[in-house]
Amino acid sequence: MADTAQGTTTEEVEYSEDQIAVHWREEEYVEPPEQFQEQANAGDKSILERFAPENFPDCFVEYAELLSWDKKWDEIVDTSNPPFFKWWVGGKLNACVNCVDRHLESRGDENAIVWVPELEEDETEEITYKELHRRVNEFAALLKDFCGVEAQDRVTFHMPMVPDLPVAMLACARLGVIHSQVFGGFSGGACGQRMADAKSTILVTMDAYYRNGELIDHKVKADEAVEAAKKEGIEVEKILVFRRKPGEYHSESEMVDGRDYFVDELLEDYEGKEVEPESMAAEDTLFLMYTSGTTGRPKGAQHSIGGYLSYVTGTSKYYQDIHPEDTYWCFADIGWITGHSYIVYGPLALGTTTVMYEGVPTYPDAGRPWRIAEKLGVDIFHTAPTTIRMLRKVGPEEPGKYDYHFKTMTTVGEPIEPDVWRWYWKVVGKGEAAITDTWWMTETGGFTGSTLPFLQPMKPGSCGPAALGIQLVIFDENGEEVSKGSGKAGYICIRNPWPGRMLTVWGQDERFIDTYYKRFNKDSNSKEWRDWPFMCGDGAVQAEDGYFRILGRIDDVINVAGHRLGTKELESAAIEVEEVAEAAAVPVVDETRGKVVEMYIALKPEVSESDEDVAKKVAAQIEKDIGKIARPKNVWVVPDMPKTRSGKIMRRVIAGISNFADVGDISTLANPDVVDKIREQVQNAKKERGEDLQELSKKEQEEIATFGEGSE
Ligand code: WTA
């Protein structure tokens, strides 16, 4: 099992036909409700013909035509230099104009963004398209004059869920500047590392924000970011600080003279200023979104202006069924790709009203999301299985108490268990909303597998067929096609280029090829796009009817509550702790978050500190380097790691122990005795903590049994 320096993985997807037949039993179809069918954007079956493989690449013109262009493209897609495909070549446009200016005439007084602060007594903020236009222009003027940024420079954001975030993103888009928003929950260190990678010297942040009813100090992270960036040779020049409460400052961190500025004070000089939008080439870059992969260094997925925007607009129209008059709420964080594509760019390009919520789903109680939906008249709802599980757990009857009506509901980010799906359908959707289970990833820009809400029947646990214009294929480890209905799992790939795909990994073209193409490209000199299938990074099975079931990541990524965490990132944070000799990260199945992380640590000889103290240090270090979401559930200090004779840590063995599952074959271990010792230590401790009540599905057992096989 090789993990090359470039980050390709040669792990095998080891699921036998019998296992799949028995354990991934197919569910029955659920027919979409009829009552909203008539108004559906994708209302008749001709759309499936229009996007059939023989109409590639022309089919995507339908998406590009949803946008306003300064200059029309000369060529739909340039495939002459695979895999660096370019869409809408020769075309010119501005993303901000598409999301804001062009709606002023018809929808100027309608709400573009409705922001719900976490404290329920605080007022909801309504931002019309006119108001959005004003705010975006003023911030763009500030960026241009005060920061001196130019088209295709990078500006990093480390912002919570406040409307200033989309305002600042759109201001960058107006100037042709590349934004790189780092999830607000990530640590300052993670932010600084990403600033250094993007060579970005300007940071946009906020003093504080609400989380679970508390005002959390956020500006302190900016100081850590500056330090981390400095270590990697980047000097942060300016920090623009929005204030959560106008005129007040809620942070322990001091404002540094000549470096830190309050945005509200700076904006006084830019009142009413308008900035001419830059007319950008379609293949220029709109933003970077960092994500985890096999190696420790996060990858900056680099997304284009024309290709990306056309793709998210088209998929928002047909899969989210967004019309301008809808009130659409995607309950995700803009710090992830879902928020970029389906809170900001797609919905605003369609001129609808997009709702943003600052806080946690259950604050102050599990009825909150449904009160928001009722009050704002939300009719399209979009969230992740982890949120659905949590809301079901703490408030299974809550949705029924509120008078809202959804026409469509989306799930994204992780597989959704059929019984959770059914609660979503019956209780949240009241049996009247179509569910789209959308499968995709940061790299693909938008949905790649899903059902069309009113045209295709749903099947709990399956995402559905390939999205419009996407040609999905499953390959086995030898690169042979796995036929549908065969019951065999393999690597899911996209055969053809599509407009939403990232351009490359920022600054690392080789890594882009190695990670996504090398495995199934048979001839690296080929100039034919058909020789370049895109490897998505998931294992999958395709049923006879063409629907896909996604089995999870095949690289060493742990999906915690829908967030990708690389085991290598976790492990390198742990070994920064002086006393730690070796570290291994494994996933543990969790009732609400899908998976959580557990760390195993072996200490250097003659460490005098107690195991508990080292464990605490490790947890704190991970939180510092990555963020709270990565904080391990447990850190186990063990006498030795189970290893192969060649010294490779067998993560699947410890993953088995942590999950009370079978540890599998241990005959190749150099130190098999250690397995029983660790099992006793860990499982006894877990039983004492009441953490032994796991009931793993067979699918989960299989995932655990093969975990980490791609890592060395
Ligand atoms: C997983 C999130 C099952 C998958 C948009 C993928 C899913 C990874 C689904 C990407 C789904 C996403 N069903 N699994 N509907 N959607 N995934 O980059 O493993 O944060 O590779 O993008 O999430 O995560 P990312």
Side-chain angles (χ1 to χ4, degrees):
M1 308 288 167
D3 167 20
T4 66
Q6 294 82 18
T8 42
T9 170
T10 53
E11 185 192 353
E12 313 288 295
V13 183
E14 290 170 10
Y15 306 104
S16 75
E17 236 169 290
D18 296 344
Q19 284 165 344
I20 288 165
V22 176
H23 306 307
W24 283 283
R25 198 172 51 79
E26 272 196 75
E27 299 283 321
E28 301 283 318
Y29 284 129
V30 177
E31 289 301 323
E34 277 171 20
Q35 73 182 106
F36 297 107
Q37 196 148 12
E38 220 155 77
Q39 57 82 61
N41 285 327
D44 76 87
K45 290 217 147 86
S46 69
I47 194 168
L48 302 172
E49 289 305 309
R50 301 203 300 277
F51 281 88
E54 59 273 21
N55 294 327
F56 173 84
D58 305 51
C59 57
F60 288 115
V61 169
E62 198 169 315
Y63 285 0
E65 283 176 345
L66 296 172
L67 303 181
S68 305
W69 295 81
D70 300 333
K71 178 180 172 290
K72 207 184 153 184
W73 56 92
D74 304 316
E75 197 182 352
I76 295 176
V77 57
D78 171 4
T79 60
S80 63
N81 181 29
F84 299 95
F85 309 119
K86 290 182 186 164
W87 285 84
W88 321 121
V89 185
K92 296 201 118 184
L93 77 167
N94 183 280
C96 176
V97 168
N98 274 283
C99 293
V100 185
D101 303 46
R102 67 169 176 156
H103 306 308
L104 288 177
E105 209 175 283
S106 57
R107 309 225 353 119
D109 295 319
E110 303 295 332
N111 288 331
I113 299 173
V114 175
W115 178 63
V116 182
E118 197 192 57
L119 299 186
E120 211 160 3
E121 60 272 24
D122 284 358
E123 219 163 292
T124 295
E125 191 176 324
E126 296 184 343
I127 304 173
T128 62
Y129 274 94
K130 272 191 194 146
E131 169 73 2
L132 182 62
H133 183 258
R134 181 185 66 75
R135 287 173 65 167
V136 166
N137 270 282
E138 290 178 356
F139 195 72
L142 184 163
L143 279 177
K144 192 173 168 172
D145 291 359
F146 183 71
C147 302
V149 291
E150 290 175 6
Q152 301 290 279
D153 284 350
R154 276 79 53 207
V155 172
T156 300
F157 301 161
H158 197 200
M159 290 285 287
M161 280 294 283
V162 291
D164 308 286
L165 171 56
V167 165
M169 288 162 71
L170 292 163
C172 284
R174 192 167 193 85
L175 300 170
V177 164
I178 300 171
H179 57 75
S180 171
Q181 153 73 359
V182 177
F183 171 54
F186 271 162
S187 67
C191 175
Q193 188 188 26
R194 286 156 178 75
M195 289 191 81
D197 189 79
K199 298 203 171 43
S200 146
T201 57
I202 294 167
L203 176 62
V204 180
T205 187
M206 186 165 243
D207 62 337
Y209 61 96
Y210 280 100
R211 194 108 200 120
N212 253 323
E214 261 178 67
L215 197 53
I216 311 234
D217 187 344
H218 188 61
K219 164 70 167 54
V220 283
K221 290 186 178 175
D223 301 322
E224 294 159 12
V226 169
E227 283 311 306
K230 197 177 200 165
K231 266 196 208 145
E232 300 192 27
I234 285 288
E235 198 72 46
V236 176
E237 287 167 13
K238 284 195 170 70
I239 303 185
L240 307 182
V241 184
F242 280 100
R243 285 195 272 198
R244 174 63 179 74
K245 297 184 175 198
E248 298 175 21
Y249 183 56
H250 293 274
S251 171
E252 294 288 308
S253 153
E254 283 192 20
M255 295 290 282
V256 175
D257 230 15
R259 187 196 72 185
D260 301 357
Y261 304 89
F262 289 127
V263 175
D264 52 318
E265 289 178 3
L266 295 176
L267 278 177
E268 287 171 10
D269 293 340
Y270 298 96
E271 226 169 272
K273 284 257 164 22
E274 291 208 4
V275 177
E276 210 31 50
E278 289 286 328
S279 189
M280 302 297 294
E283 69 267 25
D284 279 337
T285 301
L286 183 60
F287 65 86
L288 304 180
M289 167 63 63
Y290 281 87
T291 189
S292 299
T294 304
T295 61
R297 184 176 168 198
K299 306 179 275 221
Q302 185 179 335
H303 280 287
S304 69
I305 300 176
Y308 170 83
L309 196 63
S310 63
Y311 196 68
V312 299
T313 307
T315 48
S316 291
K317 177 169 174 172
Y318 293 130
Y319 287 94
Q320 305 287 293
D321 198 43
I322 291 177
H323 301 64
E325 54 279 8
D326 287 316
T327 299
Y328 165 83
W329 181 18
C330 171
F331 195 171
D333 195 293
I334 296 178
W336 307 108
I337 191 71
T338 299
H340 276 52
S341 302
Y342 298 112
I343 297 177
V344 182
Y345 286 111
L348 292 179
L350 291 171
T352 196
T353 300
T354 182
V355 176
M356 280 178 76
Y357 170 57
E358 177 179 32
V360 299
T362 49
Y363 187 82
D365 59 68
R368 185 69 189 281
W370 322 124
R371 285 199 289 282
I372 293 173
E374 179 184 83
K375 184 168 156 225
L376 303 182
V378 172
D379 64 341
I380 307 176
F381 184 70
H382 184 164
T383 195
T386 185
T387 306
I388 305 170
R389 285 185 214 112
M390 188 197 298
L391 290 168
R392 178 172 80 149
K393 192 171 160 194
V394 293
E397 310 297 336
E398 287 299 310
K401 299 181 187 162
Y402 298 94
D403 183 22
Y404 63 81
H405 295 277
F406 298 149
K407 63 171 174 171
T408 61
M409 301 193 296
T410 303
T411 107
V412 61
E414 309 158 70
I416 181 165
E417 301 78 0
D419 68 317
V420 179
W421 191 100
R422 278 187 277 270
W423 183 76
Y424 200 31
W425 162 255
K426 277 198 200 121
V427 182
V428 177
K430 305 173 179 179
E432 56 189 19
I435 294 184
T436 50
D437 179 348
T438 60
W439 164 78
W440 59 297
M441 53 218 51
T442 305
E443 294 88 336
T444 67
F447 306 146
T448 43
S450 178
T451 49
L452 281 161
F454 301 104
L455 273 188
Q456 294 167 322
M458 309 166 269
K459 207 198 283 179
S462 296
C463 68
L468 293 168
I470 299 287
Q471 302 170 29
L472 292 179
V473 56
I474 296 178
F475 290 122
D476 68 13
E477 45 283 355
N478 306 315
E480 301 296 332
E481 256 183 77
V482 175
S483 53
K484 64 180 181 186
S486 67
K488 285 205 186 104
Y491 303 82
I492 188 162
C493 295
I494 304 173
R495 272 185 217 274
N496 60 313
W498 73 102
R501 196 208 64 184
M502 66 197 274
L503 294 167
T504 184
V505 176
W506 175 258
Q508 303 182 70
D509 285 351
E510 272 313 301
R511 187 171 175 196
F512 176 64
I513 299 176
D514 287 343
T515 309
Y516 305 103
Y517 289 98
K518 201 170 178 177
R519 177 91 202 233
F520 295 111
N521 164 252
K522 295 195 178 97
D523 171 8
S524 62
N525 293 316
S526 170
K527 297 288 171 206
E528 165 61 51
W529 65 257
R530 287 174 186 79
D531 290 333
W532 294 86
F534 177 92
M535 186 174 88
C536 297
D538 281 329
V541 196
Q542 189 181 24
E544 187 62 43
D545 59 9
Y547 280 34
F548 292 89
R549 275 168 293 166
I550 304 300
L551 308 177
R553 301 286 313 174
I554 50 165
D555 54 10
D556 294 327
V557 164
I558 304 178
N559 191 336
V560 177
H563 305 323
R564 277 162 70 171
L565 300 173
T567 52
K568 284 281 194 310
E569 288 163 73
L570 293 157
E571 290 162 8
S572 45
I575 56 177
E576 273 178 54
V577 173
E578 209 188 309
E579 292 81 8
V580 173
E582 287 176 313
V586 294
V588 174
V589 173
D590 183 82
E591 215 186 315
T592 45
R593 307 203 334 136
K595 303 267 161 47
V596 290
V597 174
E598 280 195 9
M599 297 297 301
Y600 281 73
I601 300 296
L603 300 183
K604 288 178 185 158
E606 287 162 36
V607 166
S608 55
E609 276 200 68
S610 72
D611 289 0
E612 289 87 70
D613 285 346
V614 180
K616 274 190 201 139
K617 275 196 194 172
V618 166
Q621 190 66 37
I622 290 174
E623 195 172 323
K624 178 161 181 277
D625 285 3
I626 305 173
K628 258 209 180 78
I629 50 161
R631 202 182 165 90
K633 180 161 185 175
N634 291 301
V635 179
W636 305 111
V637 179
V638 294
D640 197 6
M641 298 279 187
K643 284 186 195 148
T644 61
R645 290 189 187 90
S646 59
K648 178 194 160 187
I649 300 176
M650 294 289 273
R651 288 182 182 74
R652 66 165 168 82
V653 173
I654 47 183
I657 292 174
S658 270
N659 287 283
F660 291 84
D662 188 8
V663 296
D665 178 15
I666 54 167
S667 63
T668 57
L669 288 190
N671 53 352
D673 306 347
V674 80
V675 177
D676 283 338
K677 278 195 211 139
I678 300 178
R679 185 190 288 116
E680 209 181 292
Q681 174 195 345
V682 169
Q683 296 190 346
N684 285 347
K686 289 184 91 144
K687 279 179 196 154
E688 268 172 37
R689 295 176 198 180
E691 292 175 15
D692 59 330
L693 297 167
Q694 303 275 10
E695 265 217 43
L696 298 196
S697 68
K698 286 290 175 186
K699 176 171 170 234
E700 286 161 348
Q701 286 180 22
E702 289 307 322
E703 197 183 327
I704 298 298
T706 53
F707 185 76
E709 300 288 271
S711 62
E712 243 79 27

